[in-house]
Amino acid sequence: MSPWPTTATDAAKIRAFFVHPDYARRGVGRALLEHCESEAGATGFKRFELMGTLPGVRLYEALGYQRQPMVHYPVAEGISIEFVPMPLAGHPDTADVVVVGGGTVGAWCAYFLRQDGLRVILVEKGLLGQGASSRAAGVVRAQGGTPEAVRLGQWSQHFYRRQRDDLGIDSGFVAQGYLLPCFTEAEVTAARERMAMQLDLGLDVEWLSPDEVDQRNPTLAPGQTLGGTFCADDGYIIPPRNVTAYAVALARSGVAVREQVRFLGLRHEGDRLTGVDTSAGPIAAGSVVLTGGPKLAEVGRLAGLRIPVGGARHQVAVTQPHPDLDPSRVPMVFDLASGLYWRPEEGGLLFGMSNPEEPPGWATEVDEPYLALMRTRLEQLVPVTAGLGLRRLWAATIDYTPDHLPIIGPALGPDGPLPGVTVAAAGGAGMMWGPGVARAAADLAQTGFSAVVDTTGLGLDRFDEQGRSKVPTDPIALPFPQSA
């Protein structure tokens, strides 16, 4: 895709100009802006927009540009620059595609659509990455329990690995290796069946005997397992860095980001989608992608849709450092039976778990009794963690679907699919599947097909009116509720 804007699809963007203080308030800024508009108009541009810094906003408003909600672009950890998007009045806010939601799925989807040459506006009611995307554990696992989960994990890992070459920045992917230990004969049987499926899909996964498990993971209490599967390519990313990466990608690619702008609903003329309503006014567009993590059901209701996605509390903690927890001694581990996982972090262990007995709902406070239960199980499996203090501790509301699989497909109305509206949710695996889900959703929005994964079984039509899924639950997932 050409890095230069085209008159057919883009607005002319006035990047920057500066007036020497000795010549301030003499009409120089106005003359420069009007000259830029004249030159751009002579080449065929019909729309004009700029990203104003705060000192210039009054001038641009006086010249007919409309102030939009302020956006923040991160330039370093904890540091951002404030800009004001300002399209020229009289030219409606238009796009080829509007993406709702500025989390991992929505942001990467908007980037992919822009890379495909489309004009894209992303609408986010808060700030980019303000929700679960910045509070995740960062696990990126291709050892999925279904072929679709494997494909999405493989694509996402490949994307993370090539980010720096493509973007000049990355999400911090580390190939730590991931062990899924087995503690019963039933778990061994299920693991070997999954492994056969994963190998058929080209995943480099191996079976470890009990002794090999102990050798690969010397921090694990010896003699505990009956073996397990291991994939050296699995790993993790750094969630705040991922938010920075997609914020940079959006800015560089030319996606128009509308932060602190609420999605209010879809606009139609008859059966034809014409755009969306937002708190900052309407946006004309022929295609919309709805994302939103644990708030996606609410987004759906605003659009007149039922989307069976819920929110559940997920707790994550990081222990104090210990020499035995050096990353060279600690692969990532997922204890499926308890839903407990851990990985190295800052010389200690990062561990997390969700409570399957807790009712769904928004929750960001730490559940101390359940944290104690998490710690007890962790100490049984990794004895060195007994007595270690916690350096960090947080809880976040993450999204889930009733079958723990992603949703990628057209929105469904009373009479069937809604033309032009695509729904995308990662089912609680935003870091693990997010880029793959985003790419597949971008594909479906354009062609109805994706080479990333077969989406025929991942649409909303797999749920009944009560939100119950017709397909089996993903067997390798956090212990989420069974309804949403």
Side-chain angles (χ1 to χ4, degrees), residues 12-175:
K13 294 181 172 61
I14 299 166
R15 296 295 186 185
F17 59 81
F18 304 90
V19 177
H20 192 282
D22 291 347
Y23 297 90
R25 303 186 184 281
R26 300 186 185 184
V28 176
R30 178 186 295 266
L32 285 170
L33 186 57
E34 291 175 347
H35 177 74
C36 290
E37 292 173 357
S38 176
E39 290 293 307
T43 64
F45 283 97
K46 304 299 182 186
R47 300 187 301 115
F48 304 86
E49 65 185 32
L50 56 82
M51 191 71 78
T53 52
L54 300 185
V57 167
R58 292 180 61 186
L59 167 65
Y60 305 142
E61 286 184 320
L63 294 174
Y65 286 79
Q66 294 179 324
R67 181 197 299 248
Q68 302 291 319
M70 188 179 300
V71 298
H72 301 261
Y73 283 156
V75 295
E77 185 173 355
I79 300 175
S80 63
I81 299 177
E82 297 175 333
F83 292 97
V84 180
M86 303 187 73
L88 185 60
H91 297 274
D93 213 356
T94 64
D96 296 313
V97 187
V98 172
V99 177
V100 178
T104 295
V105 173
W108 286 124
C109 182
Y111 167 73
F112 294 141
L113 289 164
R114 181 63 187 135
Q115 289 295 99
D116 291 340
L118 301 178
R119 295 171 298 158
V120 184
I121 294 177
L122 184 150
V123 175
E124 164 55 47
K125 72 174 183 178
L127 303 176
L128 289 176
Q130 191 175 32
S133 292
S134 58
R135 296 179 174 88
V139 172
V140 183
R141 168 176 51 79
Q143 287 184 83
T146 68
E148 294 82 2
V150 174
R151 290 295 193 204
L152 289 168
Q154 289 174 314
W155 198 95
S156 297
Q157 282 188 11
H158 180 64
F159 172 73
Y160 287 133
R161 291 174 184 273
R162 70 175 189 265
Q163 277 179 312
R164 181 156 291 278
D165 290 339
D166 292 348
L167 300 172
I169 190 171
D170 59 50
S171 300
F173 179 75
V174 176

Side-chain angles (χ1 to χ4, degrees), residues 174-233:
V174 176
Q176 188 68 26
Y178 210 159
L179 169 68
L180 275 64
C182 298
F183 298 94
T184 67
E185 291 293 346
E187 291 177 359
V188 170
T189 300
R192 287 192 176 275
E193 290 176 355
R194 286 195 306 269
M195 181 176 164
M197 176 269 293
Q198 294 162 355
L199 289 170
D200 285 344
L201 294 174
L203 189 65
D204 188 10
V205 59
E206 59 181 313
W207 177 261
L208 301 184
S209 69
D211 288 342
E212 290 171 328
V213 168
D214 293 344
Q215 291 168 6
R216 295 282 185 96
N217 191 349
T219 62
L220 192 68
Q224 294 286 309
T225 78
L226 300 179
T229 60
F230 180 81
C231 180
D233 293 333

Side-chain angles (χ1 to χ4, degrees), residues 265-284:
L266 302 172
R267 297 173 68 88
H268 290 89
E269 290 183 3
D271 295 333
R272 184 172 66 90
L273 176 73
T274 60
V276 301
D277 285 315
T278 78
S279 59
I283 302 174

